[in-house]
Amino acid sequence: MSYSRIRGTGGYLPEKILTNAELEKWVDTSDQWIVERTGIRTRHIAADDQDTCDLAEMAALRALESAKVSASELDFIVLGTTTPDRIHPSTACLLQARLGNHGAIAFDVQAVCSGFLYALSIADKFIKTGEVKRALVVGVDIYSRLVNWTDRNTCVLFGDGAGAVVLEASTTPGIMSTHLHADGAYKDMLTVPARVVQGRLKGEGFTKMQGNEVFKFAVNVLSEVVQEALTANQLDHNAIDWLVPHQANIRIISAAAKKLKLPMERVVVTVSEHGNTSAASIPLALDVAVRDGRIQRGQTLLLEAVGGGFTWGAILVKY
Ligand code: ACO
């Protein structure tokens, strides 16, 4: 049987750091409120002349370097984003051109904060069928551009970034199982309702969110889907070395860890410095913990995310 293994990881955060103290100057908020309710202290914000593809390229190059794979060896590029640089072509194709790869399958996936898990799951399926040998999977968002900076309910939560992994076909595990879900009935709980009509933006191009409802929904579906992943592999929580969650809010992360009976020492947390980087948050967290030596080869990782759609999922990985 063929598995897909994570051969390398990479991440990129824009240089500019935005602190809670700076936000206090623009909206009626406080460092104390933001830290207590979300766990966020700082977030990175892309420069005006940086595009999504710029962030993706940096993360991709670092992942390729750590995997010791060249861009020309990739036969698959999948990129999760909600903030593509163009309506078309896809940011995956823009990235492909930057990397100098010709001929690989390349496309974007739109599943908001679950975008990386959706992309990773698709790449895993292509590798398992034997059609693809080496895949680049990217999660990237400049979410700060979808935020109304006068709306304190949303602007304190988000940041920008990119993360990437190189996946390779292998006879040893690998991605063990993927569990994806969506329910469009919740389309209005978290949305950017705008569209382009006749060359103009129609509707509001900012994030609208029912924060409380999102919070409850997130905790419920995450608890269910991580259990689904464990049951599918006949494992219990003791088998998990690291939970690598989507980084939306420390209270959502700790509630999910508590339901899993996992101590916070086995959870990778980056939300305090990164904020919610949407599709980038899981691969960024993964890269941080791989590079600082917490995540080791042979360990079992549980990735989980929830995002607009609503979409949600979990992936169990032997690293
Ligand atoms: N600073 C100060 N006060 C604020 C702020 C702020 N930045 N934002 C809201 N408040 C106020 C509200 O106006 C409200 O005031 P009121 O009681 O006078 O009406 C009060 O704080 C409490 O508001 P709640 O919404 O009940 O606060 P809550 O504890 O639920 O925290 C939060 C709000 C942080 C948005 C939380 O609900 C949350 O994290 N939800 C999940 C949202 C999320 O993660 N979205 C990301 C995308 S989806 C995903 O990634 C899972």
Side-chain angles (χ1 to χ4, degrees), residues 29 33 37 113 152-153 190 209 211-212 246 248-249 251 276:
T29 191
W33 191 96
R37 302 290 179 113
C113 300
R152 69 175 184 175
N153 291 298
L190 176 62
M209 180 183 74
N212 254 318
H246 168 51
N249 181 317
R251 292 188 294 136
N276 181 348

Side-chain angles (χ1 to χ4, degrees), residues 13-274:
L13 291 159
E15 229 171 85
K16 183 182 163 40
I17 295 174
L18 179 64
T19 64
N20 292 346
E22 283 169 274
L23 281 167
E24 284 176 2
K25 294 181 202 153
W26 306 336
V27 285
D28 182 13
T29 191
S30 67
D31 175 58
Q32 190 190 354
W33 191 96
I34 301 171
V35 172
E36 275 176 19
R37 302 290 179 113
T38 72
I40 299 168
R41 292 177 188 277
T42 57
R43 68 287 287 145
H44 292 248
I45 305 292
D48 289 346
D49 62 355
Q50 274 185 313
D51 286 332
T52 297
C53 189
D54 297 320
L55 275 57
E57 184 185 8
M58 293 298 292
L61 289 173
R62 289 172 183 172
L64 287 166
E65 189 186 14
S66 82
K68 298 187 174 59
V69 165
S70 72
S72 60
E73 293 176 281
L74 297 170
D75 41 15
F76 194 86
I77 300 172
V78 58
L79 183 148
T81 193
T82 305
T83 53
D85 288 330
R86 303 184 187 188
I87 288 180
H88 69 72
S90 68
T91 309
C93 284
L94 302 180
L95 177 63
Q96 178 182 38
R98 288 276 188 91
L99 296 175
N101 172 286
H102 303 276
I105 300 165
F107 61 99
D108 287 359
V109 171
Q110 208 320 18
V112 201
C113 300
S114 311
F116 179 76
L117 288 196
Y118 268 63
L120 189 63
S121 173
I122 295 165
D124 175 54
K125 304 292 180 283
F126 268 87
I127 287 178
K128 282 195 173 130
T129 63
E131 195 175 333
V132 162
K133 291 269 174 295
R134 282 189 200 92
L136 176 68
V137 184
V138 183
V140 55
D141 268 308
I142 302 188
Y143 205 90
S144 63
R145 292 181 189 161
L146 297 180
V147 165
N148 176 350
W149 289 95
T150 64
D151 174 15
R152 69 175 184 175
N153 291 298
T154 51
C155 76
V156 303
L157 301 175
F158 295 97
D160 303 330
V165 302
V166 174
L167 275 190
E168 191 173 63
S170 165
T171 49
T172 48
I175 291 181
M176 305 300 294
S177 65
T178 69
H179 308 268
L180 301 181
H181 298 281
D183 190 345
Y186 297 94
K187 65 188 185 303
D188 295 321
M189 213 154 77
L190 176 62
T191 178
V192 180
R195 65 200 134 135
V196 174
V197 179
Q198 296 293 305
R200 295 218 168 133
L201 203 61
K202 203 171 168 200
E204 205 179 336
F206 293 129
T207 299
K208 299 176 89 65
M209 180 183 74
Q210 296 158 20
N212 254 318
E213 297 307 311
V214 171
F215 190 99
K216 284 183 260 173
F217 184 89
V219 172
N220 276 339
V221 295
L222 289 175
S223 309
E224 280 169 22
V225 80
V226 294
Q227 201 47 57
E228 182 186 322
L230 289 177
T231 306
N233 291 281
Q234 296 172 311
L235 296 174
D236 70 17
H237 63 278
N238 292 311
I240 306 304
D241 293 297
W242 291 102
L243 178 66
V244 188
H246 168 51
Q247 310 281 324
N249 181 317
I250 191 65
R251 292 188 294 136
I252 295 177
I253 294 172
S254 24
K258 196 170 171 198
K259 289 214 175 176
L260 248 182
K261 300 197 190 81
L262 267 194
M264 287 306 281
E265 293 73 43
R266 277 157 57 197
V267 182
V268 180
V269 177
T270 53
V271 71
S272 50
E273 296 91 35
H274 297 182

